[in-house]
Amino acid sequence: MSAAARPEAVVNRSGSGGGLSPRAAGRTRAFHALHHGDEPLLLPNAWDAASAATLAAAGFAAIGTTSLGVAAALGEPDGLGSAAVRDATVALARRLGSRLACPYTVDIEGGFGGGPEEVGALAAELADAGASGVNLEDGLPGRAGDGPLVPAGRQAELIRAVKECAPGLYVNARIDTHWLVDDPASRPLDETLARAETYLSAGADGVFVPGVTDERAIATLVAGIPAPLNLLYAPGRHRLARLAELGVRRVSTGSLLFRSALHAAVGLARSLRADAAGGGAGPDLAGVPGYGEVQRLAE
């Protein structure tokens, strides 16, 4: 079993993050350990400080960020390495570091277009902000269909840079072999497993393969990757209990919560419009937090 697969190894290594405060170091150790618990870590992804604080208050053990949510809130596209999205991501990480008691991990796309030096500096900045981990993807910015991936060796250089500059960060290496492709189920797993081996050798702590839903493929990935496997929750296709049985260690919601929030906002606005016109039953506001409750999230 590799060092990355041993809970005691990752927990010890997570404490070596240079000038981390005791609070941040403790959160980082806890975040590593959450990938080796009895149940998979269900990681909800927030897009701003309010959504993150609300999810933390609901009792989730850790929070992630969604690059789509952060980018879209700025009116920017996701995955294109925007400098504005990079700056907003760092700013959000700093807000969360001062507000959350639980660990949080940050989606940094593919490093926002930077090389090893820039991505390493970004990782150090996020660790200094209090982040416990990062997601780093190997899909080229703006790719779609069967577009190219970053060469595995080049991606490994980015991972090494992150671990050199911020040793304690949990690096979740996202492999996009099955993401944004026409038929993920038909994709062979050989390249995925080869990339996982390369990334773990470079220092990654876990592997994230979004787009995989077939149980046989999931079992193959779990058996072939000596580190925690992260999947993206697929509504109607995944059940957390079954993923636990298969050996998945982390399940992320990705942009689902953000997109659902947009849908809910439009639905409520339409309900109000119909009610004003006398053709609706009025909106159902049960469970909607009050002004004061949301105001307290910023305190």
Side-chain angles (χ1 to χ4, degrees):
M1 182 179 289
S2 71
R6 296 198 300 268
E8 67 274 15
V10 293
V11 172
N12 290 339
R13 186 170 62 190
S14 71
S16 59
L20 287 180
S21 69
R23 180 188 185 198
R27 286 189 307 207
T28 297
R29 286 192 295 271
F31 187 62
H32 280 259
L34 285 169
H35 293 79
H36 301 276
D38 294 333
E39 299 292 335
L41 169 62
L42 177 59
L43 189 76
N45 294 84
W47 56 94
D48 60 12
S51 57
T54 302
L55 290 165
F60 287 95
I63 308 297
T65 69
T66 163
S67 64
L68 175 65
V70 173
L74 295 175
E76 295 274 345
D78 181 34
L80 296 186
S82 163
V85 177
R86 181 201 185 281
D87 291 347
T89 297
V90 174
L92 175 57
R94 293 198 177 281
R95 293 188 194 100
L96 300 188
S98 64
R99 286 170 169 80
L100 297 185
C102 68
Y104 66 96
T105 182
V106 180
D107 184 347
I108 60 171
E109 299 183 3
F112 299 107
E117 184 175 351
E118 292 82 7
V119 173
L122 172 61
E125 196 170 2
L126 293 172
D128 179 69
S132 295
V134 293
N135 267 22
L136 184 61
E137 62 197 49
D138 64 5
L140 287 171
R143 68 178 285 268
D146 289 332
L149 302 178
V150 174
R154 187 186 307 169
Q155 187 72 0
E157 292 177 3
L158 300 184
I159 293 170
R160 289 191 192 95
V162 171
K163 298 304 287 190
E164 288 170 2
C165 294
L169 282 181
Y170 186 102
V171 176
N172 199 38
R174 190 176 114 176
I175 300 176
D176 280 352
T177 48
H178 290 70
W179 187 238
L180 299 180
V181 297
D182 295 331
D183 185 8
S186 69
R187 305 282 293 189
L189 296 175
D190 293 352
E191 182 180 8
T192 309
L193 292 170
R195 283 177 175 266
E197 182 178 4
T198 298
Y199 299 164
L200 292 174
S201 296
D205 299 282
V207 172
F208 181 23
V209 188
V212 175
T213 58
D214 179 75
E215 288 195 0
R216 287 173 296 180
I218 294 171
T220 298
L221 291 174
V222 169
I225 297 174
L229 176 66
N230 180 192
L231 293 183
L232 180 67
Y233 176 71
R237 301 293 301 277
H238 285 155
R239 290 188 304 106
L240 196 62
R242 181 55 181 154
L243 293 178
E245 293 172 355
L246 292 169
V248 174
R249 303 313 311 145
R250 171 167 154 181
V251 180
S252 302
T253 62
S255 65
L256 178 62
L257 302 185
F258 173 71
R259 292 182 285 110
S260 297
L262 295 180
H263 177 71
V266 172
L268 177 56
R270 285 175 172 164
S271 177
L272 291 170
R273 182 173 61 188
D275 185 48
D284 180 4
L285 299 179
V288 174
Y291 177 91
E293 185 178 347
V294 176
Q295 183 78 340
R296 285 191 291 273
L297 294 175
E299 295 175 355

